[in-house]
Amino acid sequence: MTQHDPTRRDFLKTTGGVAVAAATFDRAVDAAQATGPFVSAPPIEMVRIGYVGIGGQGGSHVRNLLKIPGCRITAVCDIRSERTEWAASQITAAGHPAPTAYTRGPNDFVRLCETESLDLVYNATPWEFHVPIMLAAMKNGKHTATEVPAAMTLDDCWALVEGSEKYRKHCVLMENCNYDRPEMMVYGLVRQGAFGEILHAEGGYLHDLRSIKFADSGEGLWRRAWATKLNGNLYPTHGLGPIANCLDMNRGDRFDYLVSMSGPSRGLQEWAKDHFPPEAPQRQEKYVLGDVNVSLIKTANGKTIVVQHGTNLPRPYSRIHLVQGTKGLFQGYPNRLYIEGRGKADTWQEGAALFDQYEHPLWKEIAEQAAGAGHGGMDFIEDYRLIKCLREGKPTDFNVYDAAAISSVVHLSVQSVAKRSVPVEFPDFTRGRWKTTPPVAILHM
Ligand SMILES: NC(=O)c1ccc[n+]([C@@H]2O[C@H](COP(=O)([O-])OP(=O)(O)OC[C@H]3O[C@@H](n4cnc5c(N)ncnc54)[C@H](O)[C@@H]3O)[C@@H](O)[C@H]2O)c1
């Protein structure tokens, strides 16, 4: 039993015990049952999708999927029937048959997985539901994809790996920031060798979410609660996903260990004091999440990574996105690039001209279709790539090992913070396969 289990049980009380299944499911699967790296599956001509959790982000994915050829949303699930009704109206307006709706409470995704003929169960639910939904999907013969992070504990990361290997189903971390315009440009340049060997990278999720966390709808209903339970990096994937690609994580290198530190917790308390009367329940909450968390990761090949988390303080948005190689570097927010021998010595190349020169081919081809989609279009490209890989029977850009390794930073950072920043080792979720898996293939369509 890990030190996280009591925390998880606390959450399960609030979610009707749904994730108890996740905690125990498949823990008994012997690693030997995994017969090899699971990275691809037979092509699917028309991908039939069950969508679970149609709130802010799920709604955006539903709209994207309706514009992507070769897929149909045939079932929808949400605890709020107005959201499945909204999705059904979008689906029928797009000229497709009305989906079957599953609205009988927080466990109804199990019925969806058990009864529907689907190729993919894709969810954008609160964090505590990601793992139970993905496990139910794979157990019932469906591929599965999730919003981020995939899992909040090491046990759950392993459960996903074991489920994917046992049932031979994709289990995909849908990290949209991998597909943003600067991140794709940088990844393309890395693959071309423009920065030389990549030695160091920095990323993060620095976003003032205070008003969202205290809203009486959407994420306000569930996200703030995690800040009363865990102190670490609760949302590592946006910063770490793109730099994991640049450093070939799980594809020639892997995360080895991390050390993590959190500073004081002030932002949520101060917001509550400024916005709620003394007797309000929000004023009685006690937050343990440090407002700024910094983790340092060493990779097996000796590379270094800094990943930050900060969602409780006033500040403009940043994911940092720094990638340093032996021949130059990129730094985001604002976008700047320096490659030795190109342009003036000691001087950044910056601004829109960067994209004129170095744009990723996929962005060039798809920008028009992506225009207007969530988060500047990157969400459309991520959904497009998922469906394309499934239709062609190719490995998905991120696989279950990426989902586990990147999401495990949540648990490992909490562990390190709790013990005066001691180094904590990453499990090798690939069991050695990181040495032979080829790099992510999003350079070309
Ligand atoms: N990649 C991104 O940029 C991005 C942005 C926002 C949110 N997210 C992620 O998307 C997920 C959802 O976030 P959101 O902002 O859409 O939250 P939200 O609260 O707006 O939506 C969650 C939806 O799930 C439904 N739901 C809750 N429990 C359910 C259950 N057991 N079964 C079925 N439906 C259930 C809710 O009714 C709601 O409609 C989270 O994992 C979050 O981290 C990612």
Side-chain angles (χ1 to χ4, degrees):
M1 186 168 280
T2 70
Q3 73 170 60
H4 269 318
D5 287 68
T7 307
R8 178 161 53 186
R9 275 198 299 273
D10 286 346
F11 266 101
L12 301 188
K13 275 184 214 150
T14 66
T15 58
V18 171
V20 168
T24 52
F25 178 91
D26 268 349
R27 292 303 295 143
V29 172
D30 183 349
Q33 275 186 260
T35 52
F38 176 70
V39 287
S40 60
I44 304 166
E45 197 181 329
M46 176 62 67
V47 180
R48 297 160 302 171
I49 303 167
Y51 210 97
V52 186
I54 308 162
Q57 188 65 0
S60 168
H61 287 302
V62 165
R63 277 193 301 267
N64 293 340
L65 292 164
L66 290 175
K67 287 198 264 169
I68 296 171
C71 67
R72 291 274 182 281
I73 303 172
T74 57
V76 288
C77 173
D78 200 294
I79 52 173
R80 295 181 297 150
S81 57
E82 67 268 27
R83 294 308 296 162
T84 58
E85 282 159 20
W86 173 86
S89 72
Q90 300 287 310
I91 292 165
T92 51
H96 304 156
T100 313
Y102 290 80
T103 57
R104 295 185 199 158
N107 292 328
D108 213 24
F109 62 83
V110 174
R111 197 168 59 93
L112 175 147
C113 293
E114 285 174 353
T115 54
E116 291 287 321
S117 292
L118 298 168
D119 302 298
L120 174 70
V121 175
Y122 186 167
N123 92 83
T125 55
W127 300 340
E128 53 270 35
F129 292 105
H130 293 178
V131 172
I133 292 168
M134 288 189 285
L135 294 179
M138 292 190 286
K139 187 178 177 188
N140 287 286
K142 282 97 174 152
H143 298 301
T144 188
T146 185
E147 260 304 339
V148 298
M152 303 300 278
T153 70
L154 280 188
D155 276 357
D156 276 355
C157 289
W158 273 118
L160 295 180
V161 168
E162 291 165 353
S164 177
E165 290 177 345
K166 178 176 179 187
Y167 297 110
R168 315 293 291 169
K169 291 293 160 197
H170 288 294
C171 177
V172 187
L173 179 75
M174 296 300 290
E175 181 35 74
N176 53 347
C177 300
N178 290 355
Y179 301 89
D180 204 2
R181 200 177 177 199
E183 278 86 344
M184 288 200 77
M185 175 180 76
V186 171
Y187 184 63
L189 285 167
V190 167
R191 291 254 65 82
Q192 290 161 26
F195 298 118
E197 184 190 1
I198 307 303
L199 301 180
H200 174 81
E202 300 183 16
Y205 185 63
L206 304 173
H207 189 184
D208 180 0
L209 294 181
R210 292 171 302 166
S211 61
I212 290 174
K213 288 189 189 184
F214 280 104
D216 55 10
S217 61
E219 296 194 359
L221 303 180
W222 55 269
R223 193 166 182 149
R224 192 174 74 254
W226 288 92
T228 67
K229 304 283 181 188
L230 298 180
N231 183 12
N233 185 334
L234 306 193
Y235 207 61
T237 71
H238 286 344
L240 208 44
I243 61 181
N245 282 344
C246 293
L247 281 161
D248 289 332
M249 286 305 106
N250 291 338
R251 294 164 179 78
D253 200 355
R254 73 176 191 87
F255 301 132
D256 185 359
Y257 67 91
L258 69 67
V259 296
S260 187
M261 243 180 232
S262 288
S265 177
R266 302 274 190 271
L268 297 181
Q269 281 86 341
E270 288 194 14
W271 179 276
K273 200 161 154 236
D274 292 345
H275 291 82
F276 298 97
E279 66 281 5
Q282 291 88 340
R283 291 283 293 274
Q284 321 314 317
E285 293 173 359
K286 299 273 178 275
Y287 307 109
V288 299
L289 175 65
D291 292 334
V292 178
N293 172 270
V294 184
S295 303
L296 282 168
I297 300 175
K298 194 84 186 268
T299 76
N301 292 346
K303 315 291 177 69
T304 49
I305 296 171
V306 178
V307 59
Q308 292 193 41
H309 178 252
T311 56
N312 297 341
L313 298 173
R315 58 154 303 133
Y317 181 93
S318 173
R319 297 197 298 271
I320 305 170
H321 197 42
L322 183 152
V323 178
Q324 172 74 66
T326 52
K327 293 188 184 346
L329 83 161
F330 176 88
Q331 185 161 2
Y333 302 90
N335 298 322
R336 289 158 281 171
L337 176 147
Y338 180 75
I339 298 175
E340 198 167 44
R342 294 193 202 179
K344 272 175 72 182
D346 280 334
T347 307
W348 292 106
Q349 278 185 273
E350 48 201 332
L354 287 179
F355 295 106
D356 296 340
Q357 217 175 333
Y358 302 117
E359 184 86 285
H360 190 288
L362 183 55
W363 258 93
K364 272 190 199 150
E365 292 202 46
I366 210 171
E368 212 172 285
Q369 286 179 63
H375 297 107
M378 64 184 176
D379 297 13
F380 178 85
I381 300 183
E382 103 176 307
D383 289 333
Y384 171 89
R385 280 293 304 166
L386 173 68
I387 299 303
K388 186 173 169 64
C389 292
L390 292 177
R391 292 189 78 201
E392 293 180 356
K394 299 243 173 82
T396 53
D397 294 333
F398 262 1
N399 57 36
V400 72
Y401 306 110
D402 305 310
I406 294 172
S407 303
S408 72
V409 169
V410 175
H411 184 139
L412 298 176
S413 63
V414 170
Q415 280 192 322
S416 179
V417 166
K419 295 184 185 159
R420 290 177 60 84
S421 312
V422 291
V424 185
E425 284 186 23
F426 284 82
D428 175 9
F429 293 104
T430 75
R431 303 184 190 98
R433 293 169 193 146
W434 60 273
K435 293 173 187 162
T436 51
T437 307
V440 168
I442 50 173
L443 193 54
H444 301 291
M445 291 175 80

